[in-house]
């Protein structure tokens, strides 16, 4: 990634051109042909050894579906997440490619606006815990409990993992609507930090579980980008660790055992009602709850399969047990707007300060002019410097 400087060097401009070329899948030969130079000249430009000419810059920017201004703007951020995700085996389809591009665009836009406004995002990442030889699940259980202790969570459930990831740890978390196949993405960059993209089209309980899984990657393998898909079989040690970490973080063993003992005391069989109450208490799906009970030997192996063969545990049954409950997942509102809420606030402030025009925001946020006006609607009437009473210190 490149960061703004007082005057962009040829090395920085060359790096930005390389990132833009790789993101749009053009080869160096393609780009060299577009500006009618030898491939070795294009290589020299990307390495900062030869200054790009104005007409060459304009042609390359057009080829890469960007603008010369975007390449040269000091606050501009150029991430190479898309090429990094593209190297992953499970990324060889359009759904994952689109999700990687979306994550790249959201992070780039947010960091560029932060740079323009002079905003610094605090990070509070836990120590990295590389996966060691031996039992992966036991390591994940220990590391998850250690992180809960570090965060001061106690034995209780994690009811709003998106806020926890964003506010307590400083991770850039976005909840947006993705193809149903993609559950979530995780990436880490030294300059912008840890980033997650979660699928708002999935049930809220599943979004929580995906967040826990990606938190496992932050803990163990944070420098490796990761895509979680619905056909994940968790064969690798890294994926099995992340899966176990998510389960253990969201449903700590002692808390599950204690709650299980409380609600099944004096009873002879595990029932659907027990599962519904437990799953609701910990904010996870009924299936995830039964799988966790099986893992902790509180239910026999195959219990979930038995429920499935005998009618399952339905939403209607959950409603009969719990009644009509308000939506307690804060991230569902976060997923509704044109862009994430924090990004929208940054864009409105940048526009109010005349740092960005509607056209510049349109290109930065990948929105059309109508959508930008919707995003900025009412911003000119919001409290300003003249309103001393509500001025932030």
């Amino acid at each position: 990634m490149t960061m703004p400087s007082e005057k962009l060097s040829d090395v920085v401009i060359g790096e930005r051109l390389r990132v833009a070329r790789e993101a749009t899948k053009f080869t160096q030969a393609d780009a060299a042909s577009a500006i009618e130079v030898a491939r070795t000249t294009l290589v020299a430009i990307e390495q900062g050894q030869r200054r790009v000419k104005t007409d060459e810059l304009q042609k390359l920017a057009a080829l890469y579906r960007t603008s010369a201004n975007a390449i040269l703007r000091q606050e501009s951020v150029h991430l190479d997440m898309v090429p990094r995700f593209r190297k992953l085996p499970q990324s060889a389809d359009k759904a994952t490619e689109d999700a990687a591009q979306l994550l790249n665009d959201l992070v780039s836009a947010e960091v560029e606006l932060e740079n323009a406004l002079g905003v610094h995002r605090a990070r509070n990442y836990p120590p990295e815990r590389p996966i060691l030889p031996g039992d992966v699940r036991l390591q994940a259980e220990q590391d998850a409990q250690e992180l809960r202790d570090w965060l001061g969570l106690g034995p209780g459930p994690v009811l709003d993992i998106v806020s926890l990831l964003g506010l307590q740890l400083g991770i850039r978390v976005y909840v947006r609507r993705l193809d149903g196949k993609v559950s979530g993405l995780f990436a880490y960059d030294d300059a912008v930090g840890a980033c997650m993209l979660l699928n708002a089209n999935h049930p809220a309980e599943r979004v929580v579980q995906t967040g826990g899984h990606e938190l496992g990657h932050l803990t163990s393998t944070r420098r490796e980008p990761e895509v979680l898909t619905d056909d994940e079989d968790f064969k690798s040690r890294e994926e099995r660790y992340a899966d176990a970490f998510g389960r253990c973080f969201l449903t700590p063993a002692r808390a599950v055992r204690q709650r299980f003992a409380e609600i099944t005391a004096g009873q002879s069989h595990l029932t659907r009602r027990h599962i519904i109450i437990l799953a609701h208490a910990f904010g996870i799906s009924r299936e995830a709850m039964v799988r966790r009970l099986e893992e902790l030997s509180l239910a026999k192996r195959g219990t979930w399969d038995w429920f499935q063969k005998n009618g399952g545990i339905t939403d209607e049954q959950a409603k009969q047990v719990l009644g009509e409950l308000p939506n307690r997942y804060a991230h569902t509102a976060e997923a509704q707007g044109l862009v994430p809420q924090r990004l929208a606030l940054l864009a409105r402030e940048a526009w109010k300060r005349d740092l960005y025009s509607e056209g510049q925001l349109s290109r930065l946020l990948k929105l059309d002019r109508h959508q930008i006006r919707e995003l900025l609607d009412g911003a000119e009437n919001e409290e300003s410097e003249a309103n001393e009473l509500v001025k932030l210190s």
Side-chain angles (χ1 to χ4, degrees):
M1 195 211 112
T2 57
M3 292 295 292
S5 61
E6 291 301 318
K7 183 178 179 181
L8 295 181
S9 67
D10 293 339
V11 172
V12 171
I13 294 173
E15 172 67 6
R16 290 183 174 189
L17 288 169
R18 180 193 65 77
V19 170
R21 176 181 58 75
E22 291 185 352
T24 47
K25 298 185 179 179
F26 286 105
T27 66
Q28 290 178 326
D30 294 331
S33 176
I35 60 174
E36 300 176 338
V37 299
R39 192 185 70 83
T40 52
T41 302
L42 192 284
V43 172
I45 290 173
E46 291 188 351
Q47 293 178 346
Q49 297 170 354
R50 191 273 221 184
R51 175 165 296 182
V52 65
K53 298 175 183 176
T54 301
D55 63 322
E56 293 171 341
L57 177 62
Q58 291 172 336
K59 289 179 181 177
L60 289 175
L63 181 68
Y64 302 154
R65 298 191 289 278
T66 182
S67 68
N69 181 51
I71 296 292
L72 297 176
R73 196 163 54 237
Q74 289 189 5
E75 296 83 2
S76 184
V77 177
H78 297 258
L79 296 169
D80 62 351
M81 286 186 185
V82 175
R84 288 164 58 196
F85 275 110
R86 202 174 285 150
K87 295 176 182 176
L88 301 177
Q90 66 269 46
S91 297
D93 63 65
K94 188 174 184 308
T96 305
E97 175 95 9
D98 289 348
Q101 186 65 59
L102 176 60
L103 178 60
N104 192 94
D105 292 344
L106 289 170
V107 176
S108 298
E110 185 171 83
V111 177
E112 178 169 332
L113 290 171
E114 287 175 354
N115 291 338
L117 293 166
V119 174
H120 173 69
R121 188 183 184 103
R123 301 178 191 177
N124 187 33
Y125 302 157
E128 197 163 0
R129 294 283 183 261
I131 301 173
L132 302 173
D135 191 308
V136 167
R137 194 192 67 78
L138 289 178
Q139 289 182 59
E141 182 113 35
Q142 181 176 351
D143 293 345
Q145 186 58 53
E146 184 178 300
L147 179 57
R148 288 183 64 94
D149 295 341
W150 187 70
L151 289 168
L153 293 179
V158 179
L159 297 180
D160 186 1
I161 194 170
V162 173
S163 294
L164 183 147
L165 295 171
L167 297 178
Q168 287 193 247
L169 297 177
I171 300 169
R172 299 181 187 277
V173 187
Y174 309 96
V175 186
R176 310 305 294 166
R177 301 196 181 282
L178 310 175
D179 185 284
K181 173 186 176 181
V182 180
S183 297
L185 285 77
F186 169 81
Y188 181 88
D189 183 286
D190 283 332
V192 302
C195 316
M196 292 183 191
L197 178 61
L198 309 177
N199 192 346
N201 281 330
H202 284 176
E205 294 85 354
R206 186 169 169 187
V207 173
V208 171
Q209 290 169 230
T210 302
H213 178 95
E214 303 300 8
L215 182 57
H217 281 290
L218 172 73
T219 303
S220 61
T221 53
R222 70 182 56 169
R223 296 184 183 279
E224 299 296 326
E226 193 268 342
V227 178
L228 179 63
T229 57
D230 61 356
D231 56 357
E232 199 77 59
D233 54 9
F234 305 122
K235 284 184 177 178
S236 73
R237 284 171 59 80
E238 291 79 9
E239 287 304 304
R240 283 189 285 126
Y241 174 94
D243 191 48
F245 183 97
R247 289 198 307 275
C248 299
F249 186 79
L250 296 169
T251 50
R254 184 164 188 79
V256 172
R257 292 181 192 281
Q258 184 172 350
R259 196 63 179 261
F260 180 85
E262 288 172 357
I263 68 168
T264 60
Q267 300 175 49
S268 60
H269 288 78
L270 181 66
T271 68
R272 289 174 172 80
R273 179 174 291 269
H274 294 136
I275 303 302
I276 291 168
I277 293 173
L278 282 168
H280 177 71
F282 287 95
I284 61 174
S285 69
R286 272 101 65 184
E287 178 179 0
M289 191 70 252
V290 175
R291 301 289 189 198
R292 183 62 167 149
L293 295 179
E294 292 179 9
E295 186 175 59
L296 295 174
S297 299
L298 296 172
K300 294 179 181 176
R301 292 285 177 184
T303 297
W304 177 251
D305 295 335
W306 183 89
F307 277 122
Q308 287 295 89
K309 291 176 183 175
N310 291 275
I313 307 177
T314 66
D315 291 342
E316 184 58 33
Q317 290 167 337
K319 192 181 297 183
Q320 291 173 2
V321 174
L322 302 171
E324 293 284 355
L325 297 174
N327 190 337
R328 64 179 178 178
Y329 297 98
H331 68 262
T332 55
E334 169 73 10
Q336 300 303 316
L338 292 167
V339 296
Q341 292 171 350
R342 182 172 186 270
L343 185 54
L345 289 170
L346 291 172
R348 290 167 71 92
E349 186 64 21
W351 181 78
K352 284 162 61 179
R353 295 190 194 180
D354 289 329
L355 297 174
Y356 283 78
S357 66
E358 286 187 5
Q360 288 173 317
L361 288 176
S362 173
R363 288 188 289 275
L364 182 65
L365 301 178
K366 315 292 185 190
L367 300 176
D368 61 35
R369 288 298 186 99
H370 176 76
Q371 292 172 316
I372 283 295
R373 285 169 189 151
E374 181 181 342
L375 185 74
L376 299 175
D377 184 40
E380 68 276 15
N381 297 321
E382 289 179 340
E383 293 72 17
S384 67
E385 289 295 316
N387 303 110
E388 287 294 328
L389 187 62
V390 292
K391 186 175 182 180
L392 296 173
S393 57

